[in-house]
Amino acid sequence: IGRCGSSHVAPVGSYVSSRTDTTFLALGDIAYPDGTINDFNSCYDPSFSAAKSRTRPAPGNHDYNTDDAAGYFAYFGAPAGDPTRGYHSFDLGAWHLVSLNSECWEVGGCGDNDPQYQWLEADLAANLQPCTLAYWHRAYYTSESPTADSLYLANLFDLLDQAGADLLLAGHAHQYERFAPMNASNQLDANGIRSFVVGTGGSDIRPATFNHNGSEALNTSAYGVLELELTSTGYAWEFIRTSGGSFTDSGSGSC
């Protein structure tokens, strides 16, 4: 998101800052190139500081270029969760939101016997909200390349799916993409999870190399944010372009 030298960072930050009634989910790789506290203070904070108090982040691989993502956790403090885990959850209206750590090897793995999986299983079992949104950094599905899917997260995806999660947000792939509801096995499933990849926060946008199964909308030119309206029975989405291209995308769904 915050990349020094990019002219696209400030317009995204300006829009996010102007939406004072929103919660901002920062989907990892927040301060380029290495997630140091200096990267946060120099490349991210000048554009996004006004939204810091309402930002709920998830860590990315660039944030872990600094040992233990120390810059990330120092910058965000409590909203980033326990520094030894980097995953947490909270309720927002009728929705349960779960911020997960897709850098599994940094927190003991993502298998069904590992701490993050067991925490998520208990968290979802205790959830009383009718709608659920999860977010992490690595895109589970993406058209960036045929080998770019983060299928090592299948155990977590499947656990979310079994619990009836509605939405999954990710970054990492430098593009915007919307998928039809799918299950963890790359199959269209009306009862599955609708996922969005929102990697358009300010760093370079990259081309897609193929058309992924289930992809319904793809943008490789415009920078911007995904704006979600979460209601007690569903959600509406709109891609807000802040610079570049002319892409638009909007729609709605139920939970």
Side-chain angles (χ1 to χ4, degrees), residues 157 160-161 165-168 180-183 189 191-195:
F157 190 108
L160 290 164
D161 194 13
D166 304 285
L167 296 176
L168 175 64
M182 298 176 69
N183 60 34
D189 184 344
N191 295 315
I193 301 174
R194 180 184 295 280
S195 60

Side-chain angles (χ1 to χ4, degrees), residues 6-12 176 200-205 219-225 239-249:
S6 170
S7 62
H8 301 287
V9 176
V12 175
Y176 169 89
T200 51
S203 189
D204 56 305
I205 289 182
N219 157 56
T220 59
S221 61
Y223 293 82
V225 301
F239 179 79
I240 306 295
R241 183 184 64 85
T242 55
S243 63
S246 58
F247 175 81
T248 61
D249 183 41

Side-chain angles (χ1 to χ4, degrees), residues 11 25 61-62 76 84 118 126 161 165 200 214 225 235:
L25 308 181
N61 54 296
H62 278 269
F76 286 112
T84 66
Q118 294 176 343
D161 194 13
T200 51
V225 301
Y235 56 92

Side-chain angles (χ1 to χ4, degrees), residues 202-226:
S203 189
D204 56 305
I205 289 182
R206 299 171 186 163
T209 63
F210 82 120
N211 184 29
H212 198 293
N213 180 45
S215 179
E216 294 185 324
L218 177 65
N219 157 56
T220 59
S221 61
Y223 293 82
V225 301
L226 172 65

Side-chain angles (χ1 to χ4, degrees), residues 42-66:
S42 300
C43 304
Y44 176 80
D45 190 74
S47 297
F48 290 88
S49 59
K52 185 176 180 180
S53 64
R54 50 188 173 82
T55 299
R56 304 301 293 260
N61 54 296
H62 278 269
D63 302 313
Y64 274 101
N65 282 351
T66 295

